[in-house]
């Protein structure tokens, strides 16, 4: 049995989708374990660009079993749209299962996400407005509706009670019109008809795969620094995009993981608000954004760009037990004269190497940089590590030395095959 988790070691958008897609070829089953359609994974296969939000990347391999675990929050309408969109691109989703314990993102969650952001002024988080936070809030408050509720005869009654309460909040606190119960019920009965055959106890299905010694691939969404506990709270998402999230979000025991792959972008990006010590507010930041097409796959927002921050990466290594780094976007940094890497922070005259909890401390931090020679020339065709320019190898080996973790995969372009593989993953 091998269980590999692939997750983002920074603020999301590290390019997880392409590595998941790459490893999915060998895996027997691909499992999503947290987040929702706030995620956006771009995968390019044979010049066709797929943008996945809820459906695991492994679905692009014909008939590969794919699972959405209990830790994911599901907008059923968005999921059906995604399935239809893929069908239009010629990919029919087969062998796809949804946890009966997964919570549903309801229309009021999306509305409240938008309203609360619009009313937040300076405290705006910059959410994707997909209703993710309000849905996880209701889950924790024990007021959520799960996929198993959709299948139950009591769904209409449960919806009535919850919607009355939400409409009260919408009209009295936010001053907007109440949502129509009849409309929501009608829509959700339509979703039920289409989704019912896919809904099951996926914890049991995954356990069976585990017991049979299958190769499991766990696909993370967002990134470690957006984790509700270890991220830059409150500028975080509401789930656990960590290796620890795998067990909670699937129902499998923690020992299921044999390898933890942290995806690290060769520089750093962030969407939404919150501290970002190595952010570049100059032409270099602009250059990286344009060269790397750093615009959100879900919302289209420009991403904030900066140098690689090893304080963050080392924090991720420690919290998640990263055993191997997948380094993406090495090609994007090409043609830059001098490339910088942050190795520590200076806060109030002290050198700090551990990522602080307090936002005030992070905001005071000045990055300490090591400067490297850049590399030039097109590297997107390279598949053998030794053929990389010496300067790129020096950069990569510095990351390995500073983190104590091998860089096992290197992304040199967006296509499925534009990847340098330095280790074997499934044994
Ligand atoms: P939410 O997950 O929509 O509630 O947004 C909370 C924070 O997480 C915001 O800063 C978002 O921009 C960020 N976020 C959510 N999903 C992603 C993602 O897939 N990539 C990068 N940032 C994300």
């Amino acid at each position: 049995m091998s269980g590999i988790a692939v997750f983002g070691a920074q603020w999301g958008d590290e390019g997880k989708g392409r590595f998941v897609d790459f490893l999915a070829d060998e895996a027997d089953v691909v499992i999503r374990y947290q987040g929702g359609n706030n995620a956006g994974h771009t995968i390019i296969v044979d010049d066709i660009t797929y943008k996945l939000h809820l459906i695991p990347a492994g679905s692009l391999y014909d008939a590969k079993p794919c699972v959405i675990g209990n830790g994911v929050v599901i907008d059923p309408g968005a999921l059906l749209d995604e399935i239809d969109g893929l069908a239009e691109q010629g990919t029919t989703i087969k062998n796809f299962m949804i946890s009966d314990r997964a919570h549903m993102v309801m229309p009021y969650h999306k509305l409240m996400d938008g309203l609360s952001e619009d009313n937040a002024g300076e405290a705006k988080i910059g959410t994707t407005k997909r209703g993710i936070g309000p849905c996880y809030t209701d889950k924790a408050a024990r007021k959520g509706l799960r996929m198993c509720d959709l299948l139950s005869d009591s769904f209409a009654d449960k919806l009535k009670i919850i919607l009355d309460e939400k409409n009260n909040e919408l009209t009295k606190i936010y001053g907007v019109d109440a949502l129509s119960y009849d409309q929501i019920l009608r829509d959700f009965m339509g979703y039920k008809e289409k989704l019912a055959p896919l809904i099951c106890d996926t914890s049991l299905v995954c356990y069976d795969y585990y017991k049979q010694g299958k190769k499991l691939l766990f696909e993370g969404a967002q990134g470690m620094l957006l984790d509700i506990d270890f991220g830059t709270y409150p500028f975080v998402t509401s789930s656990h995009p960590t290796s620890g999230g795998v067990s909670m979000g699937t129902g499998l025991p923690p020992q299921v993981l044999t390898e933890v792959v942290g995806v690290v972008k060769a520089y750093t990006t962030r969407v939404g608000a919150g501290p970002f010590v190595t952010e570049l507010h100059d032409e270099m930041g602009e250059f990286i954004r344009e060269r790397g097409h750093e615009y959100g796959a879900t919302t289209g927002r420009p991403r904030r760009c900066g140098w690689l921050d090893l304080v963050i990466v080392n924090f991720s290594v420690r919290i998640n037990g990263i055993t191997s780094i997948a380094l993406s976007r090495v090609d994007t940094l090409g043609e830059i004269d001098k490339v910088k890497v942050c190795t520590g922070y200076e806060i109030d005259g002290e050198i700090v190497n551990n990522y602080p909890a307090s936002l005030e401390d992070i905001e005071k931090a000045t990055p300490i940089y090591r400067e490297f020679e850049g590399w030039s020339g097109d590297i997107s065709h390279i598949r053998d590590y030794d053929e990389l320019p010496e300067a790129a190898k020096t950069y990569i080996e510095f990351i390995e030395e500073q983190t104590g973790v091998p860089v096992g995969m290197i992304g040199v372009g967006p296509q499925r095959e534009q990847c340098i593989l330095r280790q074997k993953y499934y044994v």
Side-chain angles (χ1 to χ4, degrees):
M1 194 285 307
S2 322
I4 302 182
V6 179
F7 80 101
Q10 293 151 311
W11 276 293
D13 307 318
E14 296 89 353
K16 297 172 286 293
R18 62 88 42 93
F19 292 116
V20 171
D21 173 60
F22 191 81
L23 291 173
D25 190 17
E26 255 196 88
D28 295 311
V29 53
V30 185
I31 307 160
R32 269 280 304 264
Y33 59 93
Q34 47 74 226
N37 63 330
N38 48 349
H41 291 165
T42 306
I43 297 156
I44 304 175
V45 187
D46 298 334
D47 289 331
I48 304 177
T49 301
Y50 299 91
K51 288 200 189 253
L52 303 176
H53 299 282
L54 269 166
I55 294 175
S59 57
L60 298 183
Y61 287 91
D62 198 30
K64 175 102 40 188
C66 285
V67 173
I68 295 189
N70 55 280
V72 177
V73 290
I74 301 169
D75 177 338
L79 176 60
L80 287 166
D81 285 349
E82 201 170 318
I83 293 174
D84 290 346
L86 282 173
E88 277 164 28
Q89 288 185 291
T91 300
T92 310
I93 301 297
K94 302 173 206 144
N95 232 338
F96 179 48
M97 288 156 271
I98 304 172
S99 168
D100 50 5
R101 289 180 170 86
H103 280 246
M104 288 189 287
V105 177
M106 302 299 292
Y108 43 82
H109 291 139
K110 289 185 272 187
L111 188 57
M112 285 173 170
D113 198 358
L115 290 167
S116 120
E117 280 286 277
D118 294 344
N119 292 347
E122 288 287 288
K124 198 191 283 274
I125 288 167
T127 75
T128 58
K129 300 191 179 174
R130 299 293 191 270
I132 307 300
C135 182
Y136 279 114
T137 302
D138 274 353
K139 174 177 177 174
R142 293 154 294 181
K143 289 181 181 174
L145 288 166
R146 299 182 294 165
M147 297 306 306
C148 57
D149 295 319
L150 184 64
L151 300 184
S152 148
D153 292 340
S154 62
F155 178 74
D157 294 340
K158 284 185 179 158
L159 175 66
K160 179 89 185 75
I161 294 167
I162 293 173
L163 189 64
D164 282 349
E165 195 182 307
K166 297 292 176 189
N167 273 337
N168 202 21
E169 206 179 315
L170 284 170
T171 52
K172 299 217 171 99
I173 298 178
Y174 291 107
V176 298
D177 290 344
L179 293 171
S180 157
Y181 169 76
D182 291 339
Q183 182 65 52
I184 296 179
L185 186 59
R186 230 184 350 261
D187 289 348
F188 275 70
M189 288 303 99
Y191 303 150
K192 173 182 174 177
E193 207 178 297
K194 293 183 176 153
L195 293 177
L198 311 178
I199 301 169
C200 62
D201 185 345
T202 54
S203 69
L204 204 56
V205 174
C206 291
Y207 190 71
D208 283 344
Y209 281 124
Y210 170 58
K211 282 305 206 192
Q212 287 163 29
K214 299 282 189 195
K215 295 169 184 160
L216 312 180
L217 182 60
F218 300 95
E219 173 178 344
Q222 290 84 47
M224 153 76 190
L225 270 293
L226 291 170
D227 179 83
I228 184 105
D229 277 300
F230 290 103
T232 43
Y233 190 91
F235 299 100
V236 292
T237 192
S238 300
S239 64
H240 293 291
T242 52
S243 59
V246 168
S247 202
M248 278 186 286
T250 61
L252 285 168
Q255 55 269 46
V256 70
L257 290 183
T258 52
E259 178 97 44
V260 178
V261 179
V263 183
V264 174
K265 203 182 265 190
Y267 45 96
T268 312
T269 61
R270 168 163 212 177
V271 258
F276 180 173
V277 176
T278 60
E279 183 168 13
L280 290 163
H281 298 278
D282 55 9
E283 279 175 9
M284 182 56 75
E286 194 61 37
F287 175 83
I288 294 175
R289 182 177 310 113
E290 292 314 314
R291 191 171 157 91
H293 313 290
E294 292 293 356
Y295 293 87
T298 301
T299 58
R301 290 179 289 175
R303 295 178 185 143
R304 300 157 64 193
C305 298
W307 296 121
L308 179 64
D309 183 344
L310 289 180
V311 178
I312 282 175
V313 177
N314 276 323
F315 183 47
S316 268
V317 167
R318 174 167 68 83
I319 298 290
N320 297 284
I322 295 177
T323 54
S324 158
I325 287 175
L327 190 65
S328 66
R329 300 287 196 155
V330 176
D331 53 313
T332 303
L333 284 189
E335 313 303 340
I336 297 176
D337 255 9
K338 303 274 180 206
V339 179
K340 291 185 186 176
V341 177
C342 169
T343 56
Y345 299 159
E346 192 191 312
I347 303 176
D348 293 333
E350 301 223 346
I351 307 290
V352 173
N353 292 108
N354 183 36
Y355 200 68
S358 147
L359 290 199
E360 286 73 26
D361 285 346
I362 302 169
E363 262 145 23
K364 280 192 282 183
T366 310
I368 301 165
Y369 284 121
R370 273 282 282 272
E371 199 172 80
F372 291 84
E373 290 301 318
W375 47 93
S376 55
D378 178 18
I379 60 166
S380 62
H381 60 282
I382 296 178
R383 302 290 172 268
D384 180 352
Y385 181 76
D386 290 333
E387 284 172 21
L388 279 174
E390 279 312 311
K393 286 196 271 187
T394 304
Y395 188 76
I396 293 165
E397 284 157 29
F398 182 72
I399 295 171
E400 292 184 315
E401 178 209 306
Q402 293 281 307
T403 58
V405 177
V407 172
M409 278 188 282
I410 300 161
V412 290
Q415 299 277 349
R416 183 179 263 176
E417 68 285 355
Q418 288 176 319
C419 186
I420 298 173
L421 192 63
R422 295 174 80 203
Q423 73 172 74
K424 194 152 172 48
Y425 283 87
Y426 284 109
V427 281

